[in-house]
């Protein structure tokens, strides 16, 4: 037998293997009609289907064609994070007459800064113009030291090394890091300011019955003084109004400890909160947490129907209380895995959702009391300028932050097979992430972003983006190349934000991110 096998050449072995595959295709497997009808060759179809996204991404799609982020956008983030040349030559390759294209109206004379201006000392210094919790007299108000920050992404969804990289990066950039609803992990505890975020699963502050534990919340804040604010998630852009299940097989000892759940047992995150059932109860819940912790408390939601938002605003007028900040998530948000029916169709895109929501609070004279945070593909300076002109005070970025630490937009976050190690729990895949290097890249992306936004702001004749007016931004609004200012497009003019100068922000007692230590 060995002699016979030794006489079989390599090409004969290939034929034997192909014959075995053909026999399997025709007589054994029943699942795939193509491979049954076209044995061997039919497998090519499945191979091409599997690598189709990569082929389109790198070989077929043009620079401006891909979604959710095209090649030019990704390249700008990568170059900015690596402190490389992020310029483009020979003019823009965008169709500047396309629908929703943004134009920023520059001033005849740019804003001129003096020799002692904070932006001379640090070209990237750009804090929030409002203080969270100041109106409601919280015990520990907080002014974000960066207008760009890391949005809600959980440990569990992201790898340990990715979360560690983000947290170390925000410390270097003077920004804050939103935990996402997966709880506060050791990887969030590397020195950066943190906004503790929780949803219907109450992970990290979860009672034995699956509800909310105020005792655990108070202890978490007391034990972790770097937690600067608390965010209650009502919904998110990827899947508003939909809960989720964390399979028991994915719950390691570490995740169980962080989230306050049992090892190996499925955990349900329902679409509704147990702690409140209506808007008045939500208001009571916010005030109870703020009183017990002393921290600013806000809410995050994607926007659709406005009736309950109007009810919330009316109660705020009546009581003089309410959330210290509101994070508006656009329907284009995408770090949370979701069915296409939700991701594609449920909730409004950010510009429509935010403009609708802002008008609800503006009508009642409430906008100065609230820090508005925008989230939904706003991690580019021109889009941020538009967001500030519409009334935003800060922006949160998720996928842009992921790309700055190595994400390649493989779009398989939900499979646990992320090739860059960012959105996976595979020890092997995340072993390629060097937190020392990646944190520096996140910080550099934030600094480059702020520097360019400052430069755009000065070009428009202002000192801080909070001074942008809606008339400063034009947008193409239809298919006939018609450009219109934002105030005419969205039918409102944002409320002016009190602003005494960048030096005043620098001197603020509540400024986060250790900026006073760095600049003085």
């Amino acid at each position: 037998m060995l002699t016979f096998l030794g006489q079989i050449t390599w090409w004969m072995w290939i034929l034997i293997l192909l014959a075995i595959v053909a026999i399997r295709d025709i007589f054994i497997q029943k699942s795939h009609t193509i491979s049954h009808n076209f044995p061997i060759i039919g497998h090519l179809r499945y191979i091409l289907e599997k690598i189709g996204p990569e082929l389109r991404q790198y070989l077929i799609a043009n620079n401006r064609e891909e979604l959710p982020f095209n090649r030019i956008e990704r390249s700008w983030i990568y170059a900015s994070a690596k402190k490389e040349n992020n310029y483009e030559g020979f003019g823009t390759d965008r169709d500047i007459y396309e629908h929703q294209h943004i134009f920023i109206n520059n001033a005849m004379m740019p804003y001129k800064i003096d020799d002692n201006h904070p932006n001379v000392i640090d070209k990237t210094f750009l804090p929030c113009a409002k203080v969270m919790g100041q109106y409601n007299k919280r015990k520990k108000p907080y002014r974000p030291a960066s207008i760009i920050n890391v949005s809600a992404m959980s440990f569990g969804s992201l790898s340990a090394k990715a979360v560690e990289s983000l947290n170390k990066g925000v410390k270097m950039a003077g920004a804050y890091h939103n935990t996402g609803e997966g709880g506060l992990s050791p990887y969030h505890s590397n020195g950066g300011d943190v906004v503790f975020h929780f949803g219907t699963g109450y992970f990290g502050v979860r009672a034995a019955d699956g509800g909310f534990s105020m005792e655990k919340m108070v202890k978490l804040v007391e034990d972790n003084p770097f937690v600067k604010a608390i965010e209650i998630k009502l919904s998110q852009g990827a899947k508003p109004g939909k809960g989720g299940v964390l399979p028991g097989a994915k719950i390691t000892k570490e995740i169980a400890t962080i989230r306050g759940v049992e090892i190996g047992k499925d955990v349900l995150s329902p679409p509704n909160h147990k702690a409140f059932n209506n808007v008045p109860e939500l208001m009571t819940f916010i005030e109870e947490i703020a009183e017990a912790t002393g921290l600013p408390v806000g809410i995050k939601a994607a926007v659709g129907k406005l009736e309950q938002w109007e009810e919330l605003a009316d109660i705020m007028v009546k009581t003089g209380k309410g959330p210290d900040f509101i994070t508006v998530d656009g329907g284009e948000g995408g770090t949370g895995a979701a069915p296409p029916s939700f991701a594609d169709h449920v909730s409004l895109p950010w510009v429509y959702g935010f403009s609708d929501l802002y008008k609800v609070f503006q009508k009642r004279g409430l906008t100065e009391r609230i820090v508005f945070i925008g989230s939904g593909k706003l991690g580019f300076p021109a889009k941020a300028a538009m967001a500030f002109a519409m009334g935003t005070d800060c922006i949160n970025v998720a996928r842009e932050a992921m790309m700055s630490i190595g994400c390649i937009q493989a779009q398989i976050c939900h499979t646990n097979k992320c090739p860059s190690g960012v959105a996976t729990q595979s020890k092997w895949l995340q072993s390629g992430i060097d937190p020392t290097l990646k944190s520096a890249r996140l910080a550099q992306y934030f600094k480059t972003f702020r520097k360019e936004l400052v430069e755009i702001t000065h070009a428009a004749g202002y000192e801080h983006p909070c001074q942008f007016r809606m008339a400063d931004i034009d947008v193409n609004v239809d298919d006939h190349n018609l450009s219109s200012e934002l105030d005419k497009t969205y039918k409102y003019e944002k409320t002016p934000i009190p602003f005494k100068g960048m030096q005043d922000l620098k001197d603020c007692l509540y400024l986060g991110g250790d900026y006073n230590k760095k600049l003085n």
Side-chain angles (χ1 to χ4, degrees):
M1 177 63 70
L2 291 174
T3 302
F4 173 74
L5 292 176
Q7 293 175 344
I8 301 176
T9 61
W10 65 269
W11 59 268
M12 293 177 66
W13 280 114
I14 294 175
L15 292 177
I16 291 170
L17 179 61
L18 292 175
I20 292 172
V21 172
I23 291 170
R24 173 203 172 268
D25 288 344
I26 298 171
F27 299 107
I28 299 176
Q29 74 85 25
K30 303 294 182 183
S31 302
H32 302 290
T33 304
I34 295 296
S35 56
H36 173 275
N37 293 345
F38 302 94
I40 301 174
I41 296 175
H43 287 277
L44 293 174
R45 183 259 181 194
Y46 299 108
I47 293 172
L48 290 173
E49 182 181 47
K50 187 174 182 61
I51 65 173
E54 287 82 4
L55 290 175
R56 290 189 292 273
Q57 184 177 39
Y58 296 110
L59 299 176
I60 299 172
N62 68 39
N63 287 344
R64 298 287 186 181
E65 193 172 34
E66 295 173 87
L67 291 172
F69 294 89
N70 62 48
R71 189 179 293 118
I72 293 294
E73 291 172 328
R74 296 198 311 275
S75 296
W76 182 84
I77 293 173
Y78 296 147
S80 298
K82 297 174 184 177
K83 208 173 182 179
E84 295 176 350
N85 186 344
N86 63 1
Y87 286 27
E88 61 182 37
F90 214 64
T92 181
D93 63 355
R94 293 197 64 163
D95 177 4
I96 62 174
Y97 299 101
E98 69 179 349
H99 184 62
Q100 291 292 319
H101 186 76
I102 298 166
F103 303 93
I104 300 167
N105 295 319
N106 59 296
M108 182 179 179
M109 300 290 180
Y111 178 82
K112 186 176 182 179
I113 59 178
D114 59 42
D115 294 340
N116 297 317
H117 193 277
N119 286 134
V120 171
I121 302 170
D122 180 358
K123 296 182 186 300
T124 74
F125 180 67
L126 192 56
C128 179
K130 291 180 183 174
V131 178
M132 292 180 178
Q134 190 170 49
Y135 177 86
N136 289 318
K137 296 181 173 59
R138 307 303 187 198
K139 297 173 186 175
K140 303 174 185 177
Y142 175 60
R143 184 193 296 276
S146 171
I147 52 85
I148 178 172
N149 303 281
V150 174
S151 192
M153 295 182 285
S154 306
F155 166 62
S157 295
L158 298 191
S159 67
K161 287 194 174 182
V163 175
E164 180 184 349
S165 299
L166 293 173
N167 193 260
K168 289 180 175 178
V170 299
K171 177 176 173 56
M172 288 187 276
Y176 68 69
H177 186 183
N178 191 306
T179 63
E181 61 182 309
L184 181 68
S185 74
Y187 312 107
H188 291 102
S189 310
N190 289 283
D193 289 353
V194 165
V195 173
F196 180 74
H197 168 111
F198 67 89
T200 58
Y202 303 114
F203 300 128
V205 288
R206 184 180 175 95
D209 64 355
F212 174 76
S213 169
M214 184 66 80
E215 181 182 354
K216 287 186 177 180
M217 173 62 82
V218 172
K219 180 171 173 51
L220 182 146
V221 171
E222 290 177 348
D223 292 346
N224 302 281
F226 52 83
V227 174
K228 303 296 185 180
I230 296 166
E231 183 175 77
I232 304 166
K233 190 191 86 168
L234 304 179
S235 61
Q236 66 184 86
K239 49 181 177 181
K242 179 175 173 57
V245 177
L246 182 64
K250 286 189 174 183
I251 302 177
T252 64
K253 182 179 179 180
E254 182 180 40
I255 290 176
T257 301
I258 292 167
R259 298 200 177 199
V261 298
E262 295 182 40
I263 299 175
K265 185 177 180 181
D266 290 355
V267 177
L268 173 68
S269 293
N272 303 96
H273 277 267
K274 279 189 174 183
F276 53 88
N277 296 305
N278 52 47
V279 176
E281 289 180 5
L282 168 62
M283 284 283 289
T284 301
F285 187 56
I286 290 170
E287 293 303 318
E288 288 175 349
I289 293 176
E291 180 63 29
T293 65
L295 296 181
V297 179
I299 56 178
K300 173 184 177 177
V303 177
K305 296 180 179 180
L306 296 176
E307 290 88 348
Q308 289 173 317
W309 289 106
E310 291 171 343
E311 182 182 359
L312 173 64
D314 288 338
I315 294 174
M316 289 176 66
V317 171
K318 183 178 179 181
T319 63
K321 300 178 180 180
D324 299 294
F325 63 94
I326 297 176
T327 303
V328 179
D329 203 10
E332 59 269 66
T335 59
S341 54
F342 269 80
D344 294 348
H345 300 290
V346 182
S347 86
L348 293 171
W350 187 84
V351 290
Y352 303 141
F354 182 82
S355 58
D356 285 353
L357 185 73
Y358 189 89
K359 285 184 279 190
V360 168
F361 291 94
Q362 185 186 51
K363 181 180 178 181
R364 294 161 176 82
L366 297 171
T367 52
E368 292 186 24
R369 292 166 46 173
I370 303 166
V371 174
F372 288 100
I373 303 172
S375 177
K377 294 179 67 175
L378 298 175
F380 304 92
K383 287 186 176 180
M386 176 194 71
F388 276 88
M390 294 176 68
T392 297
D393 301 297
C394 278
I395 65 167
N396 285 353
V397 295
R399 288 170 292 182
E400 298 95 319
M402 291 168 65
M403 284 188 277
S404 75
I405 64 169
C407 166
I408 62 171
Q409 193 173 280
Q411 296 182 272
I412 53 174
C413 313
H414 56 295
T415 67
N416 204 36
K417 296 178 181 179
C418 170
S420 62
V422 174
T424 177
Q425 296 308 302
S426 165
K427 298 294 185 183
W428 169 252
L429 291 173
Q430 63 176 292
S431 66
I433 297 178
D434 177 1
T436 301
L437 172 64
K438 299 301 185 181
S439 59
R441 290 186 176 176
L442 181 279
Q444 188 57 50
Y445 160 56
F446 275 15
K447 290 177 180 180
T448 302
F449 176 98
R450 295 196 306 244
K451 176 179 177 291
E452 292 196 11
L453 181 54
V454 166
E455 291 170 346
I456 288 174
T457 303
H458 291 174
Y462 300 124
E463 185 180 6
H464 190 284
C466 74
Q467 296 172 284
F468 272 113
R469 300 173 299 117
M470 295 187 75
D472 294 318
I473 312 292
D474 280 34
V475 61
N476 289 335
V477 294
D478 66 11
D479 294 330
H480 299 288
N481 302 331
L482 176 63
S483 172
S484 178
E485 293 87 355
L486 289 179
D487 55 338
K488 297 176 182 175
T489 303
Y490 296 110
K491 309 301 183 186
Y492 75 98
E493 175 61 66
K494 86 164 190 182
T495 305
I497 295 172
F499 177 68
K500 298 179 181 178
M502 201 74 83
Q503 187 66 44
D504 181 64
L505 304 186
K506 176 187 170 185
D507 295 337
C508 177
L509 294 174
Y510 311 122
L511 183 66
D514 293 332
Y515 258 106
N516 283 315
K517 295 178 183 177
K518 295 176 184 176
L519 296 178
N520 290 330

